Amino acid sequence: MTRRLRLWVLNAGLLATAALYAAACTGLPGFGGSRHPYGDRAVRTALQQHTANAVSSVNFDQRAFDTLGEETVLFACVLGTVVLLRQTRGEKRVPPEPAGVPAALRRYGLLVLPVTLLIGLYVIAHGQLSPGGGFQGGVVVATSLHLLYIAVDYKALERVRPLGLFELADGTGEAAYVLLGAAGLIAGSAYLANTLPLGTFNTLSSGGTVPLLNAAVGVEVTSAVVVLLAHFLGQALEIEGEDGDAKDGGRTA
């Protein structure tokens, strides 16, 4: 294909996309108006499915397949990062030297860590009931563990962060979401269809498959963030090249 023909194909595609976008915009509700058909339908469906948090109902029930794509993108990013940041030939891993931490920072960090961890677990567990869910709570849980690095040192973080287990949990969270979707097919319905009993509205057991899918995402996001930060920190603090220079030019933790 010549360059001229490729440009024609590109321009034709852009024009078609622009025409479809313009046609779609003509059907949108007026800005600031009182008619919100999509919001009304989403909230109505969330109530029918006994899910108090309408956002979680959208994420894990009404468009659960889209969420599988988002979760898979994160999983693929972590996998790619692990491959790119692996220790290569000519590099060696050197334990970082401990760094002093101010007493006030140590006390505050150790005080905030369990509170942050509890908040993250609460946000995941109540994703179908209140604002939050597996994505948000997973980031909070992973962040709470790294307060130990800030308040104490790198070795303390390594003791509570068995990297192999978190890598296994990352894959387990992704696989759990896929298998829960297959349960809908086994039940004779569509993939990722909500086929479990819906339970009592506004309780932990409500929402059918929503809390299970939300928990799978929570496990995957928590593990993914921990694995990502572990490899970034490893490059910055432990791995050095043949010339003995650390990646960040320092060697303290």
Side-chain angles (χ1 to χ4, degrees), residues 50-115:
H50 294 195
T51 306
N53 183 0
V55 176
S56 290
S57 175
V58 171
N59 288 337
F60 302 114
D61 191 357
Q62 300 176 43
R63 65 166 191 88
F65 193 76
D66 289 355
T67 303
L68 172 61
E70 295 163 0
E71 187 188 28
T72 304
V73 167
L74 177 60
F75 181 76
C77 291
V78 173
L79 186 61
T81 302
V82 170
V83 173
L84 290 174
L85 297 184
R86 69 189 186 282
Q87 185 175 345
T88 60
R89 185 180 304 171
E91 292 182 338
K92 59 182 179 180
R93 190 174 292 272
V94 179
E97 299 173 1
V101 178
L105 178 59
R106 178 186 294 267
R107 286 195 299 271
Y108 181 75
L110 293 178
L111 178 66
V112 170
L113 192 156
V115 177

Side-chain angles (χ1 to χ4, degrees), residues 19-227:
L20 290 173
Y21 180 76
C25 288
T26 59
L28 290 175
F31 181 76
S34 58
R35 181 171 173 265
H36 305 287
Y38 307 113
D40 293 342
R41 291 168 186 166
V43 172
R44 189 184 309 121
T45 303
L47 295 176
Q48 290 173 349
Q49 296 291 84
H50 294 195
T51 306
N53 183 0
V55 176
S56 290
S57 175
V58 171
N59 288 337
F60 302 114
D61 191 357
Q62 300 176 43
R63 65 166 191 88
F65 193 76
D66 289 355
T67 303
L68 172 61
E70 295 163 0
E71 187 188 28
T72 304
V73 167
L74 177 60
F75 181 76
C77 291
V78 173
L79 186 61
T81 302
V82 170
V83 173
L84 290 174
L85 297 184
R86 69 189 186 282
Q87 185 175 345
T88 60
R89 185 180 304 171
E91 292 182 338
K92 59 182 179 180
R93 190 174 292 272
V94 179
E97 299 173 1
V101 178
L105 178 59
R106 178 186 294 267
R107 286 195 299 271
Y108 181 75
L110 293 178
L111 178 66
V112 170
L113 192 156
V115 177
T116 308
L117 178 62
L118 185 61
I119 290 174
L121 294 175
Y122 179 92
V123 169
I124 295 175
H126 292 76
Q128 77 276 22
L129 303 177
S130 55
F135 285 104
Q136 300 86 342
V139 174
V140 175
V141 171
T143 303
S144 70
L145 299 180
H146 290 80
L147 289 174
L148 202 57
Y149 168 54
I150 297 174
V152 184
D153 59 19
Y154 187 63
K155 286 187 175 298
L157 171 63
E158 285 187 309
R159 283 195 289 270
V160 301
R161 188 207 61 189
L163 190 54
L165 289 180
F166 278 101
E167 289 174 341
L168 178 63
D170 189 18
T172 302
E174 174 74 12
Y177 199 104
V178 173
L179 293 176
L180 284 169
L185 296 176
I186 296 173
S189 185
Y191 186 72
L192 282 169
N194 196 340
T195 54
L196 292 180
L198 299 177
T200 303
F201 182 75
N202 210 23
T203 62
L204 281 176
S205 60
S206 62
T209 57
V210 170
L212 298 179
L213 294 173
N214 174 62
V217 168
V219 171
E220 204 272 333
V221 171
T222 300
S223 307
V225 174
V226 169
V227 172

